Amino acid sequence: MTPLRGYDLISHMLMPLQAPEIWDKINNQLTEIFNYPKENAIRTYPNLYCAVDEVTTQLASFLSHKKSFTWIKGLSPMFEGSLASFLRDGFQVQSVDWKVHQQFGQEPVAWVEALPKDTLFVLGFEEHAVTGQKVNLNLFEEALNNKKIFFIRVSHFQLPDSSQLMPFTVWIGPSGFGSLATVVCGSRFRAPEKVMPYHPWKAPSFQNRKQLIENQTAIQNFEKNFSEWAYFQNVSARRWDRSVLVFPDLSADAIRTRLIAKNVPEDQVVTPNTCFTESYKMMKTWWTPQPTPETLRGMLVIDAAAIIKPDFLTTFQSVIKSLQFDSQWPQN
């Protein structure tokens, strides 16, 4: 693979210009790596937030005669920052909670037919951004494509197979290379770019692509040991790349800290606990049903890559027992 050149030309004080070809080269290299069909162009963005904003606003500027769209809320914060600009521009915005939307799963054609006639796009999320709970969007995608309405499908954790690509669908997902997000364009998506070619791109590393691996058996066997704390109770529509546990009386950040001290990799255990995220705004307003502060404090998300290690269960149990002991009131 030919290395990218020209990064040393970015934004000198004497000539603060950006060569858009640098972005083109990044897109071309990812096209080689992912090997999607030629008609499905690849576009790269700094993260998922930027990708969602760029794709939605590109469509709005390219097809400016259409002033309505629908988005499925409650699973992700990725569209929160972009919504205000659409409202200011006079768009008719229809938001549908993901649980309500799933009730139409048996009648997707009727749901699509009920959309406003000037619908520009429908934006949906494949799964919950933290827990990985999944929703089924496939039947809606087919109905939207038949009506030639753009469908923006966002996954927080993976990119689609080439067999899943439809002409009016735009997929957004992680590249697997750091925070870079990838847009896989449907063959009918030709909206021009705005500012991303002029972003101050740096040479990304295209080595050691990180992908989450699903292992249902390992996750189920692990969670059997902690059934009282399992977040998913009789829910099969979930990603099996993670275990999600909620401890009502323990801090998930404290559990994480002790696991890391026992050589569990930092990126294999996370939590929405504010001690870890150092953010109050990150989990605010978007998650439905809204979790309690206690749930966010005690929720721990563990990568299947950690769980499949032979000694992880024993390590985890010892950490929980030690924290439970330390949390007890001293006895007189």
mmCIF file of all heavy atoms in Angstrom, residues 153-175:
data_model
loop_
_atom_site.group_PDB
_atom_site.id
_atom_site.type_symbol
_atom_site.label_atom_id
_atom_site.label_comp_id
_atom_site.label_asym_id
_atom_site.label_seq_id
_atom_site.Cartn_x
_atom_site.Cartn_y
_atom_site.Cartn_z
ATOM 1 N N ARG A 153 -28.269 5.226 7.971
ATOM 2 C CA ARG A 153 -28.155 4.199 9.009
ATOM 3 C C ARG A 153 -26.826 4.370 9.728
ATOM 4 O O ARG A 153 -25.761 4.295 9.113
ATOM 5 C CB ARG A 153 -28.241 2.791 8.399
ATOM 6 C CG ARG A 153 -29.583 2.498 7.745
ATOM 7 C CD ARG A 153 -29.675 1.050 7.256
ATOM 8 N NE ARG A 153 -29.671 0.095 8.364
ATOM 9 C CZ ARG A 153 -30.111 -1.163 8.252
ATOM 10 N NH1 ARG A 153 -30.571 -1.611 7.090
ATOM 11 N NH2 ARG A 153 -30.088 -1.973 9.299
ATOM 12 N N VAL A 154 -26.897 4.603 11.024
ATOM 13 C CA VAL A 154 -25.699 4.855 11.820
ATOM 14 C C VAL A 154 -25.473 3.681 12.769
ATOM 15 O O VAL A 154 -26.354 3.340 13.556
ATOM 16 C CB VAL A 154 -25.821 6.160 12.634
ATOM 17 C CG1 VAL A 154 -24.514 6.443 13.374
ATOM 18 C CG2 VAL A 154 -26.187 7.334 11.729
ATOM 19 N N SER A 155 -24.298 3.095 12.679
ATOM 20 C CA SER A 155 -23.880 2.101 13.661
ATOM 21 C C SER A 155 -22.709 2.673 14.443
ATOM 22 O O SER A 155 -21.771 3.216 13.857
ATOM 23 C CB SER A 155 -23.460 0.786 12.994
ATOM 24 O OG SER A 155 -22.909 -0.095 13.971
ATOM 25 N N HIS A 156 -22.760 2.545 15.748
ATOM 26 C CA HIS A 156 -21.666 3.029 16.586
ATOM 27 C C HIS A 156 -20.486 2.077 16.590
ATOM 28 O O HIS A 156 -19.392 2.449 17.023
ATOM 29 C CB HIS A 156 -22.154 3.206 18.031
ATOM 30 C CG HIS A 156 -23.366 4.063 18.159
ATOM 31 N ND1 HIS A 156 -24.641 3.546 18.146
ATOM 32 C CD2 HIS A 156 -23.497 5.400 18.286
ATOM 33 C CE1 HIS A 156 -25.513 4.531 18.277
ATOM 34 N NE2 HIS A 156 -24.854 5.662 18.358
ATOM 35 N N PHE A 157 -20.675 0.837 16.107
ATOM 36 C CA PHE A 157 -19.685 -0.205 16.363
ATOM 37 C C PHE A 157 -19.209 -0.990 15.149
ATOM 38 O O PHE A 157 -18.222 -1.713 15.257
ATOM 39 C CB PHE A 157 -20.243 -1.187 17.402
ATOM 40 C CG PHE A 157 -20.760 -0.513 18.644
ATOM 41 C CD1 PHE A 157 -22.112 -0.527 18.959
ATOM 42 C CD2 PHE A 157 -19.901 0.174 19.483
ATOM 43 C CE1 PHE A 157 -22.594 0.106 20.102
ATOM 44 C CE2 PHE A 157 -20.364 0.820 20.618
ATOM 45 C CZ PHE A 157 -21.720 0.784 20.932
ATOM 46 N N GLN A 158 -19.872 -0.894 14.002
ATOM 47 C CA GLN A 158 -19.407 -1.674 12.860
ATOM 48 C C GLN A 158 -19.909 -1.081 11.548
ATOM 49 O O GLN A 158 -20.861 -0.295 11.527
ATOM 50 C CB GLN A 158 -19.853 -3.129 12.968
ATOM 51 C CG GLN A 158 -21.349 -3.347 12.775
ATOM 52 C CD GLN A 158 -21.711 -4.829 12.832
ATOM 53 O OE1 GLN A 158 -21.237 -5.563 13.687
ATOM 54 N NE2 GLN A 158 -22.560 -5.274 11.913
ATOM 55 N N LEU A 159 -19.249 -1.487 10.466
ATOM 56 C CA LEU A 159 -19.649 -1.103 9.116
ATOM 57 C C LEU A 159 -20.425 -2.252 8.474
ATOM 58 O O LEU A 159 -20.308 -3.406 8.911
ATOM 59 C CB LEU A 159 -18.420 -0.763 8.276
ATOM 60 C CG LEU A 159 -17.705 0.540 8.641
ATOM 61 C CD1 LEU A 159 -16.389 0.671 7.871
ATOM 62 C CD2 LEU A 159 -18.597 1.750 8.383
ATOM 63 N N PRO A 160 -21.213 -1.964 7.439
ATOM 64 C CA PRO A 160 -22.053 -3.012 6.845
ATOM 65 C C PRO A 160 -21.256 -3.949 5.944
ATOM 66 O O PRO A 160 -20.170 -3.619 5.457
ATOM 67 C CB PRO A 160 -23.064 -2.200 6.025
ATOM 68 C CG PRO A 160 -22.289 -0.995 5.600
ATOM 69 C CD PRO A 160 -21.423 -0.655 6.784
ATOM 70 N N ASP A 161 -21.824 -5.126 5.700
ATOM 71 C CA ASP A 161 -21.310 -6.002 4.647
ATOM 72 C C ASP A 161 -21.699 -5.424 3.295
ATOM 73 O O ASP A 161 -22.707 -4.702 3.176
ATOM 74 C CB ASP A 161 -21.907 -7.410 4.783
ATOM 75 C CG ASP A 161 -21.473 -8.092 6.070
ATOM 76 O OD1 ASP A 161 -20.344 -7.842 6.531
ATOM 77 O OD2 ASP A 161 -22.296 -8.855 6.616
ATOM 78 N N SER A 162 -20.944 -5.759 2.280
ATOM 79 C CA SER A 162 -21.253 -5.239 0.946
ATOM 80 C C SER A 162 -22.615 -5.718 0.457
ATOM 81 O O SER A 162 -23.265 -5.041 -0.350
ATOM 82 C CB SER A 162 -20.165 -5.650 -0.051
ATOM 83 O OG SER A 162 -20.026 -7.058 -0.092
ATOM 84 N N SER A 163 -23.089 -6.859 0.961
ATOM 85 C CA SER A 163 -24.393 -7.382 0.550
ATOM 86 C C SER A 163 -25.549 -6.549 1.096
ATOM 87 O O SER A 163 -26.689 -6.690 0.642
ATOM 88 C CB SER A 163 -24.553 -8.829 1.023
ATOM 89 O OG SER A 163 -24.477 -8.907 2.446
ATOM 90 N N GLN A 164 -25.271 -5.670 2.065
ATOM 91 C CA GLN A 164 -26.325 -4.873 2.692
ATOM 92 C C GLN A 164 -26.553 -3.529 2.001
ATOM 93 O O GLN A 164 -27.457 -2.807 2.389
ATOM 94 C CB GLN A 164 -25.973 -4.613 4.159
ATOM 95 C CG GLN A 164 -25.937 -5.849 5.030
ATOM 96 C CD GLN A 164 -25.506 -5.524 6.448
ATOM 97 O OE1 GLN A 164 -24.327 -5.450 6.754
ATOM 98 N NE2 GLN A 164 -26.478 -5.326 7.321
ATOM 99 N N LEU A 165 -25.757 -3.189 1.004
ATOM 100 C CA LEU A 165 -25.790 -1.843 0.436
ATOM 101 C C LEU A 165 -26.956 -1.674 -0.528
ATOM 102 O O LEU A 165 -27.151 -2.481 -1.435
ATOM 103 C CB LEU A 165 -24.469 -1.548 -0.275
ATOM 104 C CG LEU A 165 -23.213 -1.716 0.587
ATOM 105 C CD1 LEU A 165 -21.955 -1.456 -0.246
ATOM 106 C CD2 LEU A 165 -23.260 -0.800 1.798
ATOM 107 N N MET A 166 -27.726 -0.600 -0.316
ATOM 108 C CA MET A 166 -28.839 -0.260 -1.192
ATOM 109 C C MET A 166 -28.642 1.161 -1.700
ATOM 110 O O MET A 166 -27.970 1.983 -1.059
ATOM 111 C CB MET A 166 -30.176 -0.413 -0.451
ATOM 112 C CG MET A 166 -30.434 -1.836 0.032
ATOM 113 S SD MET A 166 -32.096 -2.069 0.759
ATOM 114 C CE MET A 166 -33.114 -1.988 -0.706
ATOM 115 N N PRO A 167 -29.222 1.497 -2.866
ATOM 116 C CA PRO A 167 -28.864 2.762 -3.540
ATOM 117 C C PRO A 167 -29.187 4.035 -2.771
ATOM 118 O O PRO A 167 -28.446 5.021 -2.866
ATOM 119 C CB PRO A 167 -29.644 2.700 -4.856
ATOM 120 C CG PRO A 167 -30.674 1.644 -4.674
ATOM 121 C CD PRO A 167 -30.102 0.673 -3.705
ATOM 122 N N PHE A 168 -30.280 4.052 -2.011
ATOM 123 C CA PHE A 168 -30.674 5.267 -1.302
ATOM 124 C C PHE A 168 -30.301 5.205 0.191
ATOM 125 O O PHE A 168 -30.805 6.003 0.980
ATOM 126 C CB PHE A 168 -32.165 5.524 -1.456
ATOM 127 C CG PHE A 168 -32.537 6.047 -2.826
ATOM 128 C CD1 PHE A 168 -32.858 5.172 -3.849
ATOM 129 C CD2 PHE A 168 -32.534 7.413 -3.088
ATOM 130 C CE1 PHE A 168 -33.195 5.646 -5.113
ATOM 131 C CE2 PHE A 168 -32.861 7.893 -4.341
ATOM 132 C CZ PHE A 168 -33.186 7.013 -5.369
ATOM 133 N N THR A 169 -29.445 4.274 0.563
ATOM 134 C CA THR A 169 -29.007 4.154 1.957
ATOM 135 C C THR A 169 -27.588 4.672 2.099
ATOM 136 O O THR A 169 -26.712 4.337 1.299
ATOM 137 C CB THR A 169 -29.060 2.695 2.431
ATOM 138 O OG1 THR A 169 -30.415 2.232 2.352
ATOM 139 C CG2 THR A 169 -28.583 2.581 3.878
ATOM 140 N N VAL A 170 -27.366 5.484 3.118
ATOM 141 C CA VAL A 170 -26.037 5.968 3.466
ATOM 142 C C VAL A 170 -25.682 5.386 4.829
ATOM 143 O O VAL A 170 -26.373 5.647 5.813
ATOM 144 C CB VAL A 170 -25.993 7.512 3.514
ATOM 145 C CG1 VAL A 170 -24.578 7.992 3.818
ATOM 146 C CG2 VAL A 170 -26.497 8.115 2.211
ATOM 147 N N TRP A 171 -24.625 4.584 4.870
ATOM 148 C CA TRP A 171 -24.193 3.963 6.121
ATOM 149 C C TRP A 171 -23.102 4.802 6.769
ATOM 150 O O TRP A 171 -22.194 5.282 6.101
ATOM 151 C CB TRP A 171 -23.637 2.565 5.864
ATOM 152 C CG TRP A 171 -24.667 1.516 5.574
ATOM 153 C CD1 TRP A 171 -25.235 1.225 4.368
ATOM 154 C CD2 TRP A 171 -25.242 0.598 6.503
ATOM 155 N NE1 TRP A 171 -26.124 0.194 4.484
ATOM 156 C CE2 TRP A 171 -26.153 -0.220 5.790
ATOM 157 C CE3 TRP A 171 -25.078 0.385 7.875
ATOM 158 C CZ2 TRP A 171 -26.888 -1.229 6.389
ATOM 159 C CZ3 TRP A 171 -25.811 -0.630 8.477
ATOM 160 C CH2 TRP A 171 -26.698 -1.427 7.738
ATOM 161 N N ILE A 172 -23.180 4.947 8.073
ATOM 162 C CA ILE A 172 -22.150 5.648 8.844
ATOM 163 C C ILE A 172 -21.706 4.714 9.972
ATOM 164 O O ILE A 172 -22.538 4.174 10.702
ATOM 165 C CB ILE A 172 -22.673 6.966 9.436
ATOM 166 C CG1 ILE A 172 -23.145 7.903 8.315
ATOM 167 C CG2 ILE A 172 -21.599 7.647 10.279
ATOM 168 C CD1 ILE A 172 -23.796 9.182 8.821
ATOM 169 N N GLY A 173 -20.400 4.533 10.101
ATOM 170 C CA GLY A 173 -19.891 3.656 11.147
ATOM 171 C C GLY A 173 -18.429 3.920 11.424
ATOM 172 O O GLY A 173 -17.782 4.726 10.744
ATOM 173 N N PRO A 174 -17.863 3.247 12.408
ATOM 174 C CA PRO A 174 -16.456 3.441 12.756
ATOM 175 C C PRO A 174 -15.548 2.761 11.746
ATOM 176 O O PRO A 174 -15.860 1.688 11.228
ATOM 177 C CB PRO A 174 -16.344 2.779 14.130
ATOM 178 C CG PRO A 174 -17.378 1.694 14.094
ATOM 179 C CD PRO A 174 -18.519 2.234 13.265
ATOM 180 N N SER A 175 -14.416 3.373 11.465
ATOM 181 C CA SER A 175 -13.460 2.779 10.535
ATOM 182 C C SER A 175 -12.667 1.654 11.181
ATOM 183 O O SER A 175 -12.162 0.765 10.498
ATOM 184 C CB SER A 175 -12.494 3.850 10.024
ATOM 185 O OG SER A 175 -11.652 4.305 11.075
#
